[in-house]
Every structure is written in structure tokens, then in C-alpha cells.
Amino acid sequence: MTGKPVIAGNWKMNLTPDEVREFFQNFRPDFQDRGQPELLVFPSSVSLFAAQVALPQAPSISVGVQNIHWESAGAFTGEISAPLARAAGATHTLIGHSERRHVFGETDEDVSRKTKAAFGADLVPVICVGEELDERTAGRLTEVIVGQLDAVLPSLQGARGREYLLAYEPVWAIGTGETATPEDASEAHAILRERLKEVLGEDEGMRAPILYGGSVKPGNASDLLKAPDVGGVLVGGASLDPDSFAGIAEAGAFI
Ligand code: 13P
């Protein structure tokens, strides 16, 4: 992995437009004289515009959506297409978040189609994979996360690293306060990295950052970010508070 760490906040179904404005008034990370990490936030789509208007001059922050449909337009009530999201100012989209997979029944096939739709509209997909607790305890970590990755690999052929990001989010660590250790994160990231290199080739397989997500907080972000092949973090609950998200962003400042 090369390049800046990525610090991303997934606001899920939280933060009204007013709350988003207030968030940015209070978001003041201090990177001292170190480099600013790449910062991303994923507001609810109804707060996307408010987020763009309220973005500070510094630090620079990109805004994405939490989900897209795979079709570019049409009779899909309640859905948002990749071109719509792009035209509304999103530069990134989450794809295959575990809540989409497990609460809304999204399949690997959906994840693959959405990834293609994102590339087609010039959105950077942040493709999420992760195992459930019973899968991990049954020794199926590799099978599950490589299976989820394999479903999107054909869509990644030809894309350059950083035109997409991967996120490893163990389902048992999301919103539970149960954080994977830096060793757990590295182990899973190494599995994903090996598979990327196998399929995309040594150079290209090294390029995309792999983010860790699951109960990341200011107190554990630094250790996680220092772990081998952890290229960033995808933060849920702790990204809703500007001070705590600033603390995590500061942990991603680099020399
Ligand atoms: P928490 O940080 O609340 O565990 O959520 C993680 C997540 O799902 C980010 O996408």
C-alpha cells in the first residue's frame, strides 16, 4: 500500500442537514506539521447537499453516498443511481456494507453490479467485506472474505488502485464495542491483499488501500492504523461526534 491513510466516517441513518452543518462547524482536527490523511464522510443522501455546502476550506474532505442502485436510471422508487449521486456531488460510494448485506439481503452479485455502476459514473467504490462471528469461529474467515472479494474482482480488472478502496469490517465488531485487535485486522487484510495480488498482479494488487472498520475510536485508531496493511479506517458511531472523529483523523496524520 502506498499513499495517505484514509479516514472515513459512515454516518449511516444519522445527522440531519442542520446537524451536518453543526458537525463541520466543530470539526477541527489538528495535524500539527504532519500530513493530512485523506478524509471522507458518507452522510445520509438527504444531508449530502448540506454536507457539501458546509465543508470547511481546510482540512479538505470528500463526500460520498452510502449505497447506489446498479441501474443508471428508471422506475426504481426510493433508489439512487450512481450518475445521480455523482451529479449531486458525491465522489465515493460505499458498496456491500454489512448492514446492506445482512439487513437488506444484498448479494455478492448485487455488490458486483453496483461496483460496475460506480466505475461507470466515475464514483470511487468503497467495497466492504467481512465475516460474521459464527463464520469466524467455524474457521471460515478466509473462505468468507475471499468469496466476497472474488465476486467483485472481475469488475476491478483494469481499475487502478485508489480508483477503488476495500474495507474489511468484521460483522461482530460493528457497533458492538468489540474491536478486532490490530493483529486480527492485519491477518484479514493480508488474506485480501494476497488474493488481490494473485488476480490483479503483484503491482496492481498492492495499490488499493484496505480500510479496517468496526468499533474504531480515538483510543484505538492509532494502533489499528499502525498495523501492517491497514491503510485507513471506516468509522461508524465514533464519526458522528466531531471531536472524536477529529481525534481519529489526527491518528491518521502522517510524516
Ligand atoms: P462502528 O464504528 O459503529 O462499529 O461501525 C462501523 C461501520 O459499520 C462503519 O461502516
Side-chain angles (χ1 to χ4, degrees):
M1 211 279 297
T2 48
K4 303 175 179 189
V6 179
I7 310 293
N10 173 10
W11 289 344
K12 307 191 180 183
M13 200 168 67
N14 297 291
L15 300 190
T16 64
D18 278 348
E19 288 167 340
V20 165
R21 283 186 272 275
E22 199 181 323
F23 177 96
F24 284 122
Q25 274 158 19
N26 296 311
F27 180 64
R28 298 264 177 277
D30 179 1
F31 301 116
Q32 301 178 340
D33 50 4
R34 301 193 302 149
Q36 188 213 300
E38 185 175 341
L39 295 175
L40 298 173
V41 289
F42 294 89
S44 145
S45 299
V46 294
S47 296
L48 184 73
F49 181 67
Q52 283 175 321
V53 173
L55 283 178
Q57 295 283 342
S60 69
I61 305 172
S62 303
V63 178
V65 289
Q66 298 172 12
N67 181 35
I68 51 169
H69 193 269
W70 55 80
E71 293 290 346
S72 55
F76 298 100
T77 301
E79 294 291 323
I80 294 170
S81 71
L84 279 175
R86 186 75 187 93
T91 53
H92 293 67
T93 179
L94 297 179
I95 296 197
H97 189 276
S98 72
E99 286 144 22
R100 299 295 322 162
R101 292 177 189 264
H102 298 297
V103 184
F104 299 101
E106 213 164 89
T107 63
D108 281 343
E109 157 109 46
D110 297 336
V111 172
S112 164
R113 290 197 279 185
K114 290 178 180 202
T115 301
K116 285 190 197 120
F119 285 135
D122 201 21
L123 283 176
V124 176
V126 182
I127 302 151
C128 306
V129 300
E131 83 289 1
E132 295 186 82
L133 186 57
D134 57 343
E135 294 168 330
R136 167 170 277 258
T137 47
R140 297 182 51 222
L141 169 68
T142 302
E143 175 197 331
V144 172
I145 62 176
V146 169
Q148 291 170 343
L149 178 60
D150 277 358
V152 292
L153 277 174
S155 322
L156 302 182
Q157 302 270 7
R160 312 274 304 164
R162 289 222 167 219
E163 285 172 8
Y164 62 94
L165 307 175
L166 290 185
Y168 167 64
E169 298 205 305
V171 180
W172 48 271
I174 295 181
T176 57
E178 188 91 26
T179 318
T181 62
E183 293 74 29
D184 291 334
S186 278
E187 181 197 3
H189 289 210
I191 293 167
L192 296 169
R193 182 66 71 201
E194 271 317 299
R195 187 65 184 150
L196 283 173
K197 288 199 290 185
E198 226 169 79
V199 178
L200 303 177
E202 195 69 26
D203 283 355
E204 202 44 55
M206 281 305 290
R207 271 198 255 267
I210 306 176
L211 280 49
Y212 166 78
S215 298
V216 176
K217 303 197 167 37
N220 61 22
S222 179
D223 285 345
L224 284 161
L225 285 162
K226 281 187 206 136
D229 217 350
V230 174
V233 285
L234 178 54
V235 188
S239 70
L240 295 170
D241 174 75
D243 293 336
S244 95
F245 194 49
I248 296 168
E250 286 162 9
F254 62 100
I255 308 297

